[in-house]
Amino acid sequence: MGLNATTGTVLGFLLSGPRTAWDIDQRIGGSVGHFWNVTRSQVYRELPQLAADGLVRVQSGGGKGERRTYAITAQGRMAFRRWLAEGPPAETRRIPILLITFFGAELEPGRLAEILDRTRAEVTAELDGYEGLGALLADRPFERATLEFGIRYAELVRDWIDEVARPLVERGTEN
Amino acid sequence: MGLNATTGTVLGFLLSGPRTAWDIDQRIGGSVGHFWNVTRSQVYRELPQLAADGLVRVQSGGGKGERRTYAITAQGRMAFRRWLAEGPPAETRRIPILLITFFGAELEPGRLAEILDRTRAEVTAELDGYEGLGALLADRPFERATLEFGIRYAELVRDWIDEVARPLVERGTEN
DNA sequence: GGCGACATGTAATTAGTTACATGATTAT
DNA sequence: ATAATCATGTAACTAATTACATGTCGCC
């Protein structure tokens, strides 16, 4: 009955009080979602499953088509802690821009330049989004630490594009 | 008939000549595998599918339980280029150590320290593995660029642990 | 001629995504 | 009251992982 990371995350968002699937999804999107992708469907689907396993219980709204609020159970709390203490699962990396770059020689330089520029724009937008967020997390040091990682990562991508990838393609584009 | 990134990658490794599934898997493991996780099973499974679609053909070993060599077709080459030019798919990030850190307040500090130290060890080992690899890729600038990213990323994780995450937990462990 | 490592392939299972079908609420 | 938005939930599908069943080859 070991949890996986996605299930563990959902459970973790019930620690601070009963919530609906929608609410959990929103909160994930604004926080861990930046580094642990979870879809809305997963949240909606895991919750009844967790209920069946007794880790969560429906606090209100059992009826058909009705808004359901879930609360974590004592057993759920234990399962969460057990999962967390296990340590991180093996990381599976999937960084699309590197895949494209890897095959860069097969692509017209102009197109690769466009793709890199687009990624750069996305990543600087992400950086802007993080702006000022650190202050809000002053009293949540662990969450703040993950934000710090996010900032450093976005900067890494930006700088790698500027210093490594883009210069590689400069020759062929000279626009 | 659009390819996905995993299929595109498999096809990309046939550009340089006919290969077996095993061979493709090995090559992926030593290169793009560092930033685009692909399992052996996927490679074995995609290949017959690609053959059915005419993007690849069995060059030798059609028989049951026999070693099959695949070659890319002209159509396959086109499909690959089309896929590559599309640009990167949406990125889905999954960084386990951040998930654990995010919930760090729920974990005994000593345990979190262990987990961070372990991750640090993994990432420095990764860094060691990259050592000297750059020289081998002198004539493959695009692959070299992805290696450079890998190095910077590993350094980022190491430094983030040293400068941000570990200090956060220092108080509680003082071992 | 048997043991271990290397290699091959498929099947079963689990996880994740996309598409769909409604419901409730709020502003006009 | 009605359109627009927000919210809910499920179903169908696709992708990815894990487990299994064999096979081949080199060597001792």
Side-chain angles (χ1 to χ4, degrees):
Chain A
M1 194 189 263
L3 302 176
N4 69 20
T6 298
T7 314
T9 299
V10 169
L11 217 42
F13 276 83
L14 287 175
L15 251 29
S16 51
R19 320 202 168 288
T20 64
W22 181 269
D23 187 14
I24 293 170
D25 180 59
Q26 294 292 104
R27 285 167 190 259
I28 288 177
S31 57
V32 296
H34 290 290
F35 49 81
W36 192 268
N37 185 75
V38 174
T39 64
R40 189 163 51 84
S41 275
Q42 283 177 290
V43 178
Y44 274 100
R45 200 149 33 95
E46 293 305 334
L47 252 4
Q49 188 51 53
L50 285 168
D53 294 345
L55 306 184
V56 123
R57 94 195 124 75
V58 179
Q59 197 184 48
S60 70
K64 156 97 184 158
E66 206 182 348
R67 171 198 188 78
R68 254 165 272 177
T69 303
Y70 295 89
I72 193 168
T73 63
Q75 214 188 130
R77 248 170 242 280
M78 273 169 40
F80 174 80
R81 274 167 203 289
R82 213 178 311 130
W83 164 71
L84 192 60
E86 267 169 22
E91 181 176 359
T92 56
R93 281 187 206 160
R94 291 236 164 77
I95 310 179
I97 188 64
L98 293 186
L99 199 53
I100 304 298
T101 303
F102 182 86
F103 289 119
E106 311 293 329
L107 201 51
E108 309 103 286
R111 181 67 187 118
L112 181 53
E114 277 172 27
I115 290 170
L116 289 168
D117 291 349
R118 181 143 191 283
T119 301
R120 191 189 194 282
E122 284 165 8
V123 98
T124 53
E126 190 185 333
L127 225 28
D128 289 349
Y130 292 150
E131 194 74 26
L133 230 159
L136 295 174
L137 296 177
D139 58 333
R140 290 192 158 78
F142 293 101
E143 301 182 29
R144 192 145 187 282
T146 64
L147 171 62
E148 175 63 27
F149 187 105
I151 292 168
R152 291 183 182 207
Y153 181 75
E155 288 170 345
L156 155 48
V157 176
R158 183 197 58 196
D159 296 347
W160 173 81
I161 291 174
D162 291 346
E163 298 163 16
V164 182
R166 207 54 177 72
L168 208 53
V169 98
E170 211 74 341
R171 222 166 325 156
T173 170
E174 301 287 286
N175 47 25
Chain B
M1 193 185 266
L3 303 175
N4 69 21
T6 299
T7 314
T9 299
V10 169
L11 216 42
F13 275 83
L14 287 175
L15 251 28
S16 50
R19 320 202 167 288
T20 65
W22 180 269
D23 187 16
I24 293 170
D25 180 59
Q26 293 293 105
R27 285 166 190 258
I28 288 177
S31 56
V32 296
H34 290 289
F35 50 80
W36 192 268
N37 187 74
V38 173
T39 64
R40 190 164 51 83
S41 274
Q42 284 177 290
V43 178
Y44 273 101
R45 201 147 34 92
E46 295 304 337
L47 251 5
Q49 188 51 54
L50 285 168
D53 294 345
L55 307 185
V56 124
R57 96 196 123 75
V58 179
Q59 197 184 49
S60 70
K64 157 96 183 160
E66 205 182 348
R67 170 199 188 79
R68 256 164 273 178
T69 303
Y70 294 89
I72 193 168
T73 63
Q75 215 189 130
R77 247 170 241 280
M78 273 171 36
F80 174 79
R81 275 167 202 287
R82 212 179 311 129
W83 164 72
L84 191 60
E86 266 170 23
E91 181 175 357
T92 56
R93 282 188 205 158
R94 290 237 165 76
I95 309 179
I97 188 64
L98 294 186
L99 200 52
I100 303 299
T101 303
F102 182 86
F103 291 118
E106 309 294 328
L107 203 49
E108 310 101 286
R111 180 66 187 119
L112 180 53
E114 276 173 27
I115 290 170
L116 289 168
D117 292 349
R118 181 142 191 282
T119 301
R120 192 189 193 282
E122 285 166 6
V123 97
T124 52
E126 191 185 332
L127 226 28
D128 288 348
Y130 292 151
E131 195 75 26
L133 230 159
L136 295 175
L137 295 177
D139 58 333
R140 290 193 159 76
F142 293 102
E143 300 182 30
R144 193 145 187 281
T146 63
L147 171 63
E148 175 63 27
F149 187 105
I151 292 168
R152 290 183 183 207
Y153 181 74
E155 287 171 346
L156 156 47
V157 176
R158 182 197 58 197
D159 295 348
W160 173 81
I161 290 173
D162 291 346
E163 298 163 14
V164 181
R166 206 55 176 71
L168 208 54
V169 99
E170 210 75 338
R171 224 167 322 158
T173 169
E174 301 289 283
N175 48 21

